Amino acid sequence: MEGAMSDPRQDPNSVPSPPAGSALDRRSFLRYSTASGAGLVLAPHFGRDLVNPDGPKPKAEAVIQIFLNGGLSHIDTFDPKPYAPVEVRGEFKTIKSKLDGEPLTELLRRTAKIADQISIIRSMTHSEAAHERGRHNMLTGYRPSPVVTFPSIGSVVSHELGVRNNLPPYIGVPSANDVSMGTGYLSAAYAPFSLGDDPNRSSFRVRDLALPSGVDDKRLHRRQQLLGEFDKSFESKARADSLDATDAFYQMAYNLIESKSARDAFDLKKVPEAHRNRYGRTNIGQRLLMARRLVEAGARYMIVSDGGYDNHANLRTAMSRSIPVLDQGFAALIADLKASGLLETTLVVITSEFGRTPRYNSTRGRDHWPRAFSVVMAGGGIQGGRIHGATVADGSEPESDPVGPADLSATIFTLLGIDPEKRLLSAGGRPQALVRDGKVVRSLLT
């Protein structure tokens, strides 16, 4: 779990002793009692639901963000250029889609069949060509700053909407270990909960979701009572964010471990084999299936990560492996959400840190290119069958209706019922806008 305290245990049933001669104050107790508590490494989240019952109903109640690490080539996927020279258009053919006949690459055959349910922003653009800076731009809506560490969109959603059905509101599938996925200037209480294992593994097990061997319910509750007694003795002392976050950590841990429905959401063994096979028995396929189950169970924001898109060489070989499995999992996810009625309230977004160069390099690959790339959106208040913006003939820059990371953030927040103009306080009590200079992409909204 990113943002949670580290787990010092070697033996889950042993308790490390404090250093000799040290005072067992509240902070020390919390640090060392991590080993003797529930054996959990869970995100700290406050148990609250902040949706305004008197305000307008949000279009989206949950988000599945599919983040393709490395930089997805837009020309070889969602913005093909079939009439450009071969060094631009690449080696893949195109196929018509249900998106008004607009072409997609031949690698996206399944997505082409459900394209009337999705919309594509073909004019995404920013100026950060390094992976870390590009990820920060796309995951926070802000360029990196030496002064302020900005929170990820997922952490803001956790802060604004809170817990639902005892599930962490912000979940990394299988992990969220990039700093750009973190809490920034917000409290550690809004960090993402990481599964800690990959759902496609036969031995998949959510890290520390169950009680360790030798700890039964009675023992767990005795420890919970002991922690409460220590809390009371320190109530009159100054509070720190790390301590408040730790208190929330324990409460969320207890709620999650005691909720059968919450635990069941993580259990893919309950899914029929045929249904798992529809998504593909691949890393990305099973991660998307897990995200779909978590949406149904009540999670707010899932970030599903997949790698292998930094294709500087032999792009044809690399993408022939990575895109078809993404295509299968994504198409199954959209069809599954549609059939269950969840697509109307679940926003699905495919993003990457940037695109790839419009021309092949000398090793038959494409290099980093943030000036133009594509983002895919579906459900949760997004119209199906729409294309926003366009790139020039070689895909090198937007030709019309450019969209920046701040615009994408503003659109996501708005669909969730979060005011993108709201301000939160960073360190020193300085107000920070959730979105700076971002405009909602209204042409895509229902």
Side-chain angles (χ1 to χ4, degrees):
M1 169 58 230
E2 318 308 326
M5 60 175 64
S6 61
D7 182 3
R9 291 173 296 128
Q10 299 299 320
D11 179 343
N13 295 315
S14 69
V15 183
S17 300
S22 66
L24 187 60
D25 60 6
R26 184 178 190 276
R27 183 176 281 101
S28 298
F29 171 78
L30 290 174
R31 181 166 66 252
Y32 292 106
S33 66
T34 304
S36 60
L40 298 170
V41 184
L42 296 177
H45 295 284
F46 293 104
R48 59 200 176 101
D49 190 324
L50 300 181
V51 175
N52 180 6
D54 300 321
K57 184 176 175 60
K59 295 287 188 179
E61 297 178 4
V63 176
I64 298 174
Q65 181 178 13
I66 305 165
F67 195 81
L68 306 178
N69 283 291
L72 178 69
S73 172
H74 54 299
I75 293 176
D76 296 290
T77 53
F78 296 103
D79 190 14
K81 302 295 182 182
Y83 305 112
V86 65
E87 62 269 21
V88 172
R89 71 173 183 264
E91 301 178 62
F92 298 113
K93 298 177 181 179
T94 60
I95 55 175
K96 286 187 177 182
S97 72
K98 284 192 174 182
L99 208 161
D100 291 334
E102 282 284 332
L104 298 177
T105 179
E106 62 180 323
L107 299 176
L108 293 167
R109 293 186 180 278
R110 289 180 171 89
T111 300
K113 294 177 181 178
I114 54 93
D116 56 334
Q117 301 297 319
I118 71 173
S119 286
I120 302 173
I121 299 173
R122 283 182 169 169
S123 53
M124 198 73 205
T125 182
H126 63 72
S127 59
E128 301 292 348
H131 289 293
E132 296 81 3
R133 295 180 68 87
R135 282 195 295 270
H136 187 282
N137 222 354
M138 293 300 294
L139 292 169
T140 70
Y142 277 87
R143 294 183 67 185
S145 166
V147 179
V148 180
T149 304
F150 294 99
S152 63
I153 298 172
S155 287
V156 172
V157 171
S158 177
H159 178 275
E160 292 296 297
L161 301 185
V163 174
R164 181 171 55 180
N165 295 351
N166 292 318
L167 280 168
Y170 178 24
I171 302 177
V173 183
S175 62
N177 54 14
D178 190 279
V179 66
S180 298
M181 298 177 183
T183 61
Y185 59 73
L186 292 177
S187 165
Y190 309 109
F193 169 68
S194 291
L195 301 188
D197 199 0
D198 202 300
N200 193 41
R201 288 166 51 93
S202 58
S203 59
F204 169 68
R205 180 176 180 270
V206 178
R207 183 180 58 192
D208 299 314
L209 185 59
L211 289 171
S213 176
V215 178
D216 57 17
D217 289 341
K218 290 183 179 179
R219 192 174 178 187
L220 172 64
H221 286 294
R222 285 199 302 272
R223 291 172 175 175
Q224 189 175 7
Q225 291 171 357
L226 178 61
L227 177 61
E229 292 173 5
F230 270 84
D231 281 341
K232 289 179 182 179
S233 68
F234 287 95
E235 282 179 353
S236 61
K237 296 189 177 183
R239 304 284 294 180
D241 170 71
S242 59
L243 299 182
D244 286 332
T246 303
D247 289 343
F249 162 103
Y250 280 110
Q251 188 57 55
M252 185 62 209
Y254 293 132
N255 291 344
L256 180 55
I257 204 169
E258 291 177 345
S259 171
K260 183 178 185 301
S261 61
R263 296 197 312 271
D264 285 350
F266 293 97
D267 189 357
L268 290 186
K269 293 179 181 178
K270 297 181 179 296
V271 180
E273 287 296 307
H275 196 63
R276 295 190 68 173
N277 292 340
R278 283 183 56 206
Y279 281 77
R281 301 307 284 260
T282 60
N283 287 346
I284 186 61
Q286 296 304 292
R287 291 171 189 177
L288 291 175
L289 174 59
M290 173 63 74
R292 182 256 183 268
R293 285 178 61 80
L294 293 173
V295 162
E296 187 174 34
R300 304 279 195 186
Y301 203 100
M302 278 65 55
I303 184 158
V304 180
S305 301
D306 193 35
Y309 298 91
D310 194 20
N311 304 139
H312 291 278
N314 301 318
L315 182 141
R316 179 180 178 84
T317 300
M319 296 195 72
S320 293
R321 289 195 301 263
S322 61
I323 301 302
V325 295
L326 171 66
D327 175 52
Q328 180 177 358
F330 176 67
L333 173 66
I334 298 300
D336 196 358
L337 290 171
K338 178 70 174 177
S340 65
L342 287 171
L343 187 60
E344 289 185 6
T345 56
T346 305
L347 177 62
V348 182
V349 187
I350 297 179
T351 58
S352 195
E353 59 258 53
F354 39 58
R356 312 300 294 188
T357 48
R359 291 178 180 271
Y360 270 24
N361 60 28
S362 61
T363 55
R364 305 302 293 168
R366 300 185 192 267
D367 301 317
H368 302 176
W369 193 258
R371 287 170 56 185
F373 57 108
S374 297
V375 164
V376 179
M377 305 183 79
I382 294 293
Q383 294 189 59
R386 300 296 298 273
I387 289 180
H388 177 91
T391 53
V392 296
D394 66 353
S396 61
E397 59 185 343
E399 183 177 54
S400 63
D401 301 316
V403 175
D407 303 320
L408 183 63
S409 296
T411 304
I412 293 172
F413 286 141
T414 297
L415 290 170
L416 285 166
I418 299 171
D419 182 0
E421 296 185 4
K422 182 174 182 177
R423 293 178 179 270
L424 301 177
L425 294 180
S426 62
R430 297 182 60 184
Q432 302 287 344
L434 291 188
V435 177
R436 183 179 298 160
D437 301 326
K439 298 180 179 179
V440 177
V441 186
R442 298 206 175 272
S443 67
L444 297 183
L445 306 190
T446 55

